[in-house]
Amino acid sequence: MHGYFETYLSVVVLFLLGGLIVGGGLLANRSLRPHRPTPEKLTTYECGVDPVGEGWAQSYVRYYVFAYLYVIFAVDAVFLFPWSTVFSARGYGSVTLGEMFVFLAFIAAGLAYAWKKGVLGWV
C-alpha cells in the first residue's frame, strides 16, 4: 500500500508544478505589460463598428438546429472509424454489422424528422 500513494504524490506534485508555471507566466505578463486604459479601449468591440443600441440581440433557433445536426453527424463519423476496424476482426462481423444498422437507423430517423420539420431548408 505504501507504493500506491507514492504514485498519487507524484501526480499531485506535477499538477502543482504545472500550476506554478502557468501562474508564474500570468504574473509575469501582468507585471511586464503596459497598462494605459482609455475610454476608447474600454468600449465594446464589434468588428470595427461603433457599438449602437443594447447588448441584446435576437438570433434564430434554426442556427442551433444546424449545430445540433452537425454534432449528430460528427458523432456518426467518429463512430464509423472504430466500427470499421472491429468489423474486420474475426468473430465480430455479424454483431457489429447489426449494431451499425441499428445506429444508422437512429441517425436516419433523426434526419427524416429534421427533413419533415423543414429544418434542412436553407431559405
Side-chain angles (χ1 to χ4, degrees):
M1 197 68 157
H2 181 57
Y4 181 74
F5 290 114
E6 286 178 2
T7 58
Y8 282 113
L9 181 63
S10 62
V11 169
V12 168
V13 168
L14 285 174
F15 272 119
L16 289 175
L17 184 63
L20 285 174
I21 290 172
V22 169
L26 291 173
L27 183 65
N29 182 21
R30 181 174 276 269
S31 61
L32 295 175
R33 72 177 180 188
H35 183 68
R36 296 182 201 101
T38 62
E40 288 180 354
K41 289 182 182 177
L42 297 176
T43 60
T44 305
Y45 179 73
E46 294 182 4
C47 301
V49 179
D50 291 333
V52 291
E54 297 179 17
W56 177 257
Q58 197 170 15
S59 61
Y60 293 111
V61 176
R62 164 177 265 154
Y63 299 125
Y64 295 111
V65 174
F66 289 142
Y68 288 140
L69 286 173
Y70 170 76
V71 168
I72 287 171
F73 289 111
V75 169
D76 180 26
V78 167
F79 188 67
L80 281 173
F81 290 115
W83 171 79
S84 63
T85 59
V86 172
F87 182 70
S88 63
R90 186 180 271 294
Y92 290 105
S94 61
V95 173
T96 55
L97 186 64
E99 289 174 353
M100 185 50 66
F101 279 133
V102 169
F103 180 73
L104 290 176
F106 279 117
I107 296 293
L111 183 61
Y113 179 76
W115 194 309
K116 179 184 170 210
K117 287 292 185 178
V119 173
L120 301 177
W122 290 92
V123 178

